[in-house]
Amino acid sequence: MLSKKTKYGIKALAFIASREDKKPVQTSEIAKSENISLKFLESILLSLRKSGFLGSKKGKGGGYYLIQEPEKIKMTSVVRVLEGPIAMVPCVSLNYYEKCDDCPDEATCSVHALMIQVRDSTLNVLGGNTLYDLARVKKKAQSD
Amino acid sequence: MLSKKTKYGIKALAFIASREDKKPVQTSEIAKSENISLKFLESILLSLRKSGFLGSKKGKGGGYYLIQEPEKIKMTSVVRVLEGPIAMVPCVSLNYYEKCDDCPDEATCSVHALMIQVRDSTLNVLGGNTLYDLARVKKKAQSD
DNA sequence: TATAAACCCTATCGGATTAGTAGGTTATTA
DNA sequence: TAATAACCTACTAATCCGATAGGGTTTATA
């Protein structure tokens, strides 16, 4: 299950990316438009800034803006920062590997083999989508 | 993240499926071999019996056995029973659908479109694997 | 230079879930 | 009838999640 943090974070990034201009977007505007608790969203955007996805501008007229082009931001990296491992089991995670307490040998583990397949197919999907793609879906739907 | 319940359940099913004979397998044997807490495993096997995957026999020489052929048991159904929804977000779940509180319209939701892709690719993998496949991995690895 | 806008930071908290533990009951078979 | 093994109920410790509270700091602009 995707946490709300991740879900809201993705929505917020897509919201910012779907803007034509490059002016900073206020947290309050995103919160209102996407029905997200303001305070909760604040903490999410903060962590997205700290992990290098967003820049910020303080004071009146400030807000958050994308640092990179939307086409360059793969959903794999977004999910990893917000949610953590993409794999469903730590022992098949590329970026957050952890050995299982049970399992003397991973080659003997039936779950391991299966979850590697799941991981790879998920990586394919997330790696094949960028923020640009998400923003396009959003804009397209709105213009209908 | 896969819960331990699901992980252990899959392991146990693969263990039973990898047996040559069709004699009942004791919970204690599985627990010892797979390093699972006996009591926890008991509750897992019980729920697998109640959902129609396993049969049981009480008393001496009793235990659990598969009701269907391993080739007929897709991992999609196993995961659904043990873990619940396969989708990462309830609003794209086929079997456990639930509308999001936020999201006035799913067509406008950037997360929705992405998670449908993830769901479908995961379904492909889990639907393409049966208990027979998992048991084969296990037996192959053990004979090496 | 005062004020309002907006980001920034820390702490806390209730509720839900998870992974187990404990202890007893029932059915089967040798 | 004694041993075995599934079955059932209840409890618990720990963790995490989603949010809330309550401020502090910085900056633009009138």
Side-chain angles (χ1 to χ4, degrees):
Chain A
M1 276 292 148
L2 217 60
S3 67
K4 299 232 168 175
K5 180 185 173 189
T6 304
K7 188 182 164 195
Y8 293 162
I10 294 175
K11 279 184 156 192
L13 286 174
F15 186 92
I16 297 172
S18 70
R19 280 301 184 79
E20 305 293 326
D21 48 33
K22 302 237 168 173
K23 278 188 287 188
V25 184
Q26 283 86 48
T27 309
S28 58
E29 185 186 351
I30 304 173
K32 195 179 285 180
S33 171
E34 302 288 336
N35 297 304
I36 306 172
S37 144
L38 177 64
K39 283 295 200 177
F40 192 27
L41 182 59
E42 271 187 357
S43 72
I44 295 168
L45 294 180
L46 206 54
S47 85
L48 284 171
R49 196 215 64 195
K50 285 182 179 168
S51 40
F53 289 100
L54 296 174
S56 67
K57 195 159 171 273
K58 287 188 186 177
K60 199 170 184 176
Y64 289 97
Y65 52 90
L66 287 177
I67 286 183
Q68 287 184 290
E69 295 299 309
E71 309 87 41
K72 299 238 175 101
I73 305 176
K74 286 188 187 177
M75 295 315 294
T76 40
S77 58
V78 173
V79 170
R80 282 201 179 108
V81 160
L82 290 168
E83 187 78 8
I86 287 167
M88 298 186 76
V89 167
C91 71
V92 303
S93 172
L94 297 174
N95 290 257
Y96 298 81
Y97 176 84
E98 223 171 298
K99 196 183 175 312
C100 297
D101 293 333
D102 47 312
C103 273
D105 176 25
E106 288 174 3
T108 321
C109 180
S110 49
V111 175
H112 191 79
L114 182 65
M115 289 304 141
I116 281 184
Q117 295 178 56
V118 174
R119 179 203 67 194
D120 286 341
S121 81
T122 304
L123 282 179
N124 261 336
V125 171
L126 295 181
N129 277 272
T130 67
L131 254 196
Y132 174 78
D133 300 313
L134 293 215
R136 236 164 50 100
V137 167
K138 197 170 168 53
K139 278 199 283 191
K140 184 173 181 307
Q142 284 172 340
S143 69
D144 288 344
Chain B
M1 274 293 146
L2 218 61
S3 67
K4 300 234 167 173
K5 180 186 174 189
T6 305
K7 188 182 165 195
Y8 292 163
I10 293 174
K11 279 184 154 191
L13 286 174
F15 186 93
I16 297 173
S18 70
R19 280 300 185 79
E20 306 292 329
D21 47 35
K22 303 236 169 175
K23 277 188 288 187
V25 184
Q26 283 85 49
T27 308
S28 59
E29 186 186 350
I30 303 172
K32 193 179 287 181
S33 171
E34 301 289 336
N35 297 303
I36 306 172
S37 144
L38 176 64
K39 283 296 200 177
F40 192 26
L41 183 60
E42 270 187 359
S43 72
I44 296 168
L45 294 181
L46 206 53
S47 83
L48 284 171
R49 197 215 64 195
K50 285 180 179 170
S51 40
F53 290 99
L54 295 174
S56 67
K57 196 160 169 268
K58 286 188 183 177
K60 196 169 185 179
Y64 290 97
Y65 51 89
L66 287 178
I67 286 183
Q68 286 185 290
E69 296 300 308
E71 308 86 39
K72 298 238 175 100
I73 305 176
K74 287 187 187 178
M75 295 315 294
T76 40
S77 59
V78 173
V79 170
R80 283 202 178 105
V81 160
L82 290 169
E83 187 78 7
I86 287 167
M88 297 185 77
V89 166
C91 72
V92 302
S93 172
L94 297 176
N95 290 257
Y96 298 82
Y97 175 85
E98 223 171 299
K99 195 184 176 311
C100 295
D101 293 334
D102 47 312
C103 275
D105 176 25
E106 287 173 3
T108 322
C109 180
S110 49
V111 175
H112 192 79
L114 182 65
M115 288 306 141
I116 282 185
Q117 295 178 56
V118 173
R119 178 203 68 193
D120 285 341
S121 82
T122 304
L123 282 179
N124 260 337
V125 171
L126 295 180
N129 278 272
T130 68
L131 255 195
Y132 174 78
D133 300 313
L134 294 214
R136 235 164 49 99
V137 167
K138 197 171 166 52
K139 279 199 284 192
K140 184 173 182 301
Q142 284 171 339
S143 68
D144 286 345

